[in-house]
Amino acid sequence: MRSYSPDLTPPWKKSQPAPEVPAEPDLVVEEVGTGFCGAVIRCEKTAEGPTVTLEDRFGKHRVFPMVPRGFLLEGRVVTLVRPSAAAPVRPARTASGSLAVPGARARVARAGRIYVEGRHDAELVERVWGDDLRIEGVVVEYLEGIDDLPSIVRDFAPGPDARLGVLVDHLVPGSKESRIAAEVTGADVLVVGHPYIDVWEAVKPSSVGIRAWPSVPRGQDWKTGVCRALGWPENTGAAWQRILSAVRSYKDLEPELLGRVEELIDFVTEPDLSSPSGD
C-alpha cells in the first residue's frame, strides 16, 4: 500500500492559476519577460503556438508567444488567450483615438468650417480625424496657400453660429503666416499652426521608416529636396502617397499637429451660447 505524503508547501509559495483574458484589440498589457508595454494589435496562430502583436506608444511592434502567466494587466499576472471568433470585433477607437461609434451616421454639415493650407494637409486630417469630423458635421477645405486667407474670411463672414478654424503650416513668430493670422483672427475665427515647413514633417520619421526629416538648404523646393536627400524618386505626389500610407492613427503624428487640429475641432463645434437652445 502506497503511503500518503502531504504537500507541505506553504500556500504563498504555490503557483496560483492566472486568470485568462481575451487579447482584444487595444487591450494594453506588459510582457513579463521584457517589460515591453503596448496595445494588442492582432493575434495569430503559428506552428509554435498562438502569438500576440503589441504596439507601444512610439509605434514599435513586437510579437510574443501567448504563454501562461506571460503578461501583466494593470499590475496583475494574466494569461492572454485568443478572443472568441463568435462575432467580429469592432475597433474600440477611431484613428484619432476617440471612442468609435458603430453605425453612427454623418451629421448634416455645420455652417462652420476648417480650412487647411493644401491638399496634403486635408488628406492627412481626413486620414486621422475623418470619422470624428463626419459625426460632428465639420467640413474641411483647403486654401492652396495662405495669401488669399483675408479675402476668404471676408467672403465667409464668420459668426457665432458659423465659426471658422484655420490650420497653417510654419506658423512661427515674425513669419508671413503669423502676420496674416493676426490680421484675420477674431472672436469667430481661430488660426492655429504647427512649426513645420510642410505638413510632411508632422508625420513621425519612425512611421515613415527614416531616421529624421532631412534639412533642405534655403532656396530649394523643400519637398523635392526631401526626396533627393532620402534617395526617393523626385516625384512629390508619389512621395506623399508613401508618407500618407504610413499613417494609421494619431500615434504616427507629432504632438504639435495633434493638439492644433483638436483645438480647431473644439472651436468650430462649440455651441453658440447666445442661441436660446444653445445649439
Side-chain angles (χ1 to χ4, degrees):
M1 182 175 179
R2 182 176 298 177
S3 61
Y4 171 73
S5 298
D7 183 358
L8 300 179
T9 306
W12 60 86
K13 289 190 176 181
K14 293 182 179 179
S15 179
Q16 299 297 321
E20 293 187 347
V21 176
E24 303 283 0
D26 290 333
L27 178 74
V28 177
V29 295
E30 178 182 339
E31 201 274 329
V32 295
T34 62
F36 186 90
C37 183
V40 172
I41 299 299
R42 60 182 171 272
C43 297
E44 295 178 293
K45 187 177 180 181
T46 71
E48 290 76 26
T51 64
V52 61
T53 301
L54 303 182
E55 179 185 60
D56 70 7
R57 62 192 182 93
F58 301 107
K60 183 178 180 181
H61 288 194
R62 288 191 63 176
V63 181
F64 298 100
M66 296 170 67
V67 297
R69 304 178 63 85
F71 298 87
L72 294 176
L73 175 62
E74 298 179 350
R76 295 186 306 128
V77 175
V78 299
T79 297
L80 288 186
V81 296
R82 298 182 69 191
S84 171
V89 178
R90 295 183 182 275
R93 294 185 178 274
T94 67
S96 72
S98 301
L99 290 174
V101 184
R105 294 185 178 181
R107 177 173 174 167
V108 175
R110 294 174 181 266
R113 289 286 186 277
I114 291 177
Y115 275 88
V116 297
E117 280 208 54
R119 181 169 58 85
H120 292 180
D121 306 66
E123 290 176 345
L124 187 60
V125 169
E126 163 62 27
R127 183 85 165 195
V128 176
W129 288 275
D131 290 339
D132 302 353
L133 293 168
R134 280 182 283 279
I135 290 175
E136 294 290 348
V138 177
V139 174
V140 175
E141 301 183 21
Y142 60 91
L143 304 168
E144 302 231 7
I146 195 174
D147 292 335
D148 294 331
L149 182 58
S151 61
I152 289 173
V153 172
R154 285 194 298 270
D155 293 342
F156 187 84
D161 59 344
R163 295 183 178 90
L164 184 61
V166 184
L167 178 69
V168 177
D169 296 341
H170 199 230
L171 188 61
V172 295
S175 64
K176 174 187 74 173
E177 290 82 0
S178 66
R179 292 192 295 272
I180 295 176
E183 178 183 342
V184 301
T185 296
D188 302 307
V189 180
L190 175 65
V191 181
V192 299
H194 55 73
Y196 305 114
I197 294 174
D198 189 272
V199 78
W200 286 21
E201 281 190 292
V203 180
K204 291 180 178 178
S206 59
S207 297
V208 185
I210 60 177
R211 294 185 62 182
W213 289 105
S215 177
V216 177
R218 293 184 67 123
Q220 288 189 25
D221 177 74
W222 187 84
K223 293 177 181 176
T224 302
V226 166
C227 293
R228 187 175 300 137
L230 293 176
W232 295 355
E234 294 182 21
N235 180 330
T236 57
W240 170 242
Q241 290 307 313
R242 178 175 182 168
I243 296 165
L244 185 63
S245 67
V247 176
R248 294 160 300 160
S249 76
Y250 71 97
K251 298 177 183 179
D252 296 305
L253 302 182
E254 299 287 1
E256 289 83 355
L257 177 67
L258 291 173
R260 303 295 74 76
V261 176
E262 297 284 354
E263 187 178 355
L264 290 177
I265 295 174
D266 289 344
F267 179 75
V268 300
T269 58
E270 180 182 337
D272 176 12
L273 300 180
S274 66
S275 170
S277 64
D279 296 333

